[in-house]
């Protein structure tokens, strides 16, 4: 892209407005359990959670659960170190739907929608 006098302009990258981190469960990611409750996310806000043990962990967006906005974190030795999940990508969904990580890996959720009501809440 060029400005009005034909000089290329730098591309702006959208960075997360705020990062919420947590190593375990509970509201905001504190503790050592498997429950978590992030949000509601502001536009561009992200949250990150480490999953220390193997298992399958379901989650949903509280206001949009009935509309199918659900996801899963699968934790096993074959998973990645980390996975980024887009919140509200292409509508009321998480993308990817399943985040596959290894024990000790983390998932980062980023609100890419134009809504500031989404949550990431464990089932």
């Amino acid at each position: 892209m060029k400005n009005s006098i034909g000089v290329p302009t730098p591309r702006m990258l959208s960075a997360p407005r705020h990062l919420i981190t947590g190593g375990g469960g509970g509201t905001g990611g504190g503790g050592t359990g498997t429950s978590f409750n992030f949000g509601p996310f502001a536009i561009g806000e992200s949250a990150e959670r480490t999953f220390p043990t193997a298992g399958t962990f379901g989650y949903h967006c509280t206001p949009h659960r009935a509309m199918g906005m659900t996801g899963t974190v699968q934790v096993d030795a074959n998973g990645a170190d980390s996975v980024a999940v887009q919140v509200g990508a292409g509508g009321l969904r998480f993308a990817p739907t399943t985040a596959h990580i290894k024990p000790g890996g983390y998932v980062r959720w980023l609100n890419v929608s134009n809504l500031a009501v989404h949550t990431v809440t464990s089932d």
Side-chain angles (χ1 to χ4, degrees), residues 69-96:
M69 194 169 179
T70 62
T72 304
V73 177
Q74 179 183 342
V75 184
D76 63 40
N78 297 318
D81 290 331
S82 65
V83 172
V85 175
Q86 295 181 338
V87 178
L92 300 178
R93 63 186 205 97
F94 296 103

Side-chain angles (χ1 to χ4, degrees), residues 5-87:
I5 59 172
V7 176
T9 56
R11 187 174 142 211
M12 295 298 291
L13 298 177
S14 176
R17 210 176 66 92
H18 181 67
L19 174 64
I20 305 165
T21 60
T27 300
T32 58
T34 57
S35 65
F36 49 95
N37 184 17
F38 297 118
F41 286 83
I43 296 167
E45 185 174 37
S46 67
E48 184 177 287
R49 184 184 190 284
T50 300
F51 290 80
T53 58
T56 302
F57 308 96
Y59 65 90
H60 60 276
C61 174
T62 299
H64 302 118
R65 183 180 198 170
M67 296 173 211
M69 194 169 179
T70 62
T72 304
V73 177
Q74 179 183 342
V75 184
D76 63 40
N78 297 318
D81 290 331
S82 65
V83 172
V85 175
Q86 295 181 338
V87 178

